Amino acid sequence: MKRNKTAKLVVALAATAALVSACAGDRGGDAVVPSSGDSGNSKSTSSADVEFGTLASPCGAGDAKGATDQGVSDSEIKIGYGDDRGYAKSPGLNKEMSDAVTAMIKWCNEQGGINGRKVVGTNYDAAMTQANAVMQDSCRSDFMMVGQGFAMDATSEQTRVACNMATVPGFTVSPDAANGPMSYQGVPFPVDIANASAWFQMGEMHPDMKNDFTLIGSTMPAIITSLAKTSSMAKAAGFNLKDCGVVLNYEGEASYVPFAEKIKQCGAKGMWTSRSPVPNEFNFFKAVDQAGLDPIIFGEATWYANSAQAFNKDSGLLDNLNAGMAFQMLENENDPAVKQYKDLVTAGGGKTALLGMQATSSFLLWASAAKECGSDLTRQCMIDELSQIHDWDGGGLHATMDPGANIPAQCGLVVALKGADYTQAFPADKGEFKCDPQYLVKTDKATWGTDLNADRVATKYLNPNVITPKA
């Protein structure tokens, strides 16, 4: 496959992945077609003249032909994407993902589509509880699902695999989806291998506190799984975690004071949370402050978020907040990929955030494979091509990943919040990642939440008809 490879592993920027739905910040579907006057096969822009960051554009005019698979015709490629924006308890949840894919479809079609075929997307709203209904609809018409992120993907994975819906998701949450068959992510988040850079780097930032951190638990099953994985990463980085026994109800507590007192009695000076920056979590940190504690707050990329900035601007209660991630910061507009992402999304009135960059990376990964398939655009060809992409940074949006082998980055950086402003806290050279092979940690099998075969693919929904890469 011909791909433009970044000369440097470390470039300027600022995701995740992380538990993902649950791990990247806030920072019936509608068909998305080219705007009025755009045929979708415009040759006004040649792909030879266009890049996304450091990546040569996979989009452009061409003469690809044939109704080669469901959702593919001489003139169109139908894909599905979406988020949980209709969830009543969190309106607009992860809408930045669909905003990003919408913008990328427009960007691609303005160059002529992919090999001349226009990309037509259906923007689904899973509203947290409707992920399986969305997948059933997609199974009837789409070629693939691309750049989507559904917090309850566990409910749709069986349907997806049964209908051979190949996918390049923006993120996955459930173990069976994270290592699912026929699935390749721009930012891999497998159950068996973790990027523990945040813990190693926190250890460098606070070497005297390796015995003073505790994990804040939750009643949400996905977070329970994530915390078990987090414990493995912390241990690999040399942390001896305190067991303070704090487990918070994901739906909220009548009072968080007893939990704050528990942490105080436990003697923890630092706390890790896999929860998201939402009002209930902010109430917990208010109680922590009332208990007279001033801990280091440490979390996943979900804490790199507008909601955390807004809360801290007035309260200052998150001034000790640190978040680890493998993405460039949105503030780093010296990075061409970050600037381009922001320009494309804001031009369409969309919301920019870390998960939006994650969805963008997955769309570009999908488009790169689709370009190589040419007229032979089938799910089999897509899986063959995707499985061979082992060097991927989304044009510079994030550290290098191995989506073909479902292996995350061995690089990371840490951001810190002060008032309403995020800055890079580690490493010292702004816009650069620190990379180390030891950051990749094999997690305890007991934390996986699923069984994997020899190819590291979840076996729960495997069937004889599943599409696998051909040699």
Side-chain angles (χ1 to χ4, degrees), residues 395-467:
L397 288 173
H398 52 73
T400 300
M401 315 273 178
D402 183 349
N406 198 17
I407 297 175
Q410 57 181 28
C411 307
L413 55 77
V414 176
V415 300
L417 180 63
K418 182 75 172 180
D421 298 319
Y422 284 102
T423 57
Q424 184 171 322
F426 187 93
D429 294 333
K430 308 307 179 187
E432 293 194 356
F433 302 101
K434 181 171 181 180
C435 306
D436 193 318
Q438 70 174 336
Y439 290 172
L440 282 183
V441 173
K442 291 184 178 180
T443 58
D444 187 337
K445 187 175 181 179
T447 70
W448 292 358
T450 190
D451 292 322
L452 307 181
N453 64 14
D455 295 320
R456 300 177 48 244
V457 174
T459 61
K460 187 172 183 179
Y461 301 121
L462 281 180
N463 64 70
N465 297 319
V466 163
I467 305 170

Side-chain angles (χ1 to χ4, degrees), residues 174-322:
S174 67
D176 291 305
N179 285 65
M182 304 175 294
S183 178
Y184 299 86
Q185 299 182 61
V187 182
F189 189 65
V191 299
D192 57 329
I193 303 175
N195 176 359
S197 61
W199 281 100
F200 281 94
Q201 292 174 3
M202 179 58 70
E204 289 193 56
M205 293 168 66
H206 300 282
D208 57 333
M209 290 185 62
K210 288 191 174 182
N211 295 320
D212 297 326
F213 271 83
T214 188
L215 307 184
I216 306 303
S218 172
T219 58
M220 184 177 184
I223 294 181
I224 293 172
T225 299
S226 176
L227 284 174
K229 189 174 180 179
T230 297
S231 182
S232 295
M233 292 188 282
K235 182 178 180 180
F239 282 77
N240 181 26
L241 298 171
K242 289 181 175 294
D243 183 6
C244 296
V246 173
V247 178
L248 304 177
N249 190 319
Y250 193 75
E251 298 294 333
E253 300 284 356
S255 172
Y256 288 95
V257 172
F259 300 97
E261 290 295 337
K262 232 178 179 183
I263 293 172
K264 186 175 183 178
Q265 294 168 10
C266 186
K269 299 177 183 177
M271 58 181 71
W272 165 276
T273 176
S274 286
R275 290 161 58 89
S276 301
V278 295
N280 284 338
E281 192 78 346
F282 298 149
N283 289 334
F284 168 66
F285 286 117
K286 288 178 182 177
V288 168
D289 179 64
Q290 291 168 5
L293 299 175
D294 188 27
I296 297 294
I297 302 168
F298 187 27
E300 293 160 340
T302 184
W303 284 91
Y304 177 64
N306 294 336
S307 57
Q309 288 177 299
F311 172 74
N312 200 52
K313 181 179 180 180
D314 296 323
S315 71
L317 297 182
L318 301 180
D319 275 350
N320 286 340
L321 173 66
N322 295 268

Side-chain angles (χ1 to χ4, degrees), residues 86-145:
Y87 182 47
K89 292 185 178 181
S90 184
L93 181 62
N94 297 337
K95 181 177 178 292
E96 57 266 29
M97 301 189 73
S98 58
D99 286 347
V101 178
T102 298
M104 293 307 294
I105 289 173
K106 182 175 185 296
W107 176 78
C108 194
N109 285 339
E110 285 174 347
Q111 298 167 59
I114 298 178
N115 296 320
R117 288 181 172 118
K118 177 178 62 179
V119 181
V120 177
T122 298
N123 188 356
Y124 295 105
D125 178 8
M128 189 68 80
T129 61
Q130 299 302 311
N132 191 48
V134 162
M135 193 59 67
Q136 289 173 343
D137 287 344
S138 182
C139 283
R140 287 190 283 266
S141 60
D142 295 325
F143 172 55
M144 290 180 66
M145 289 289 289

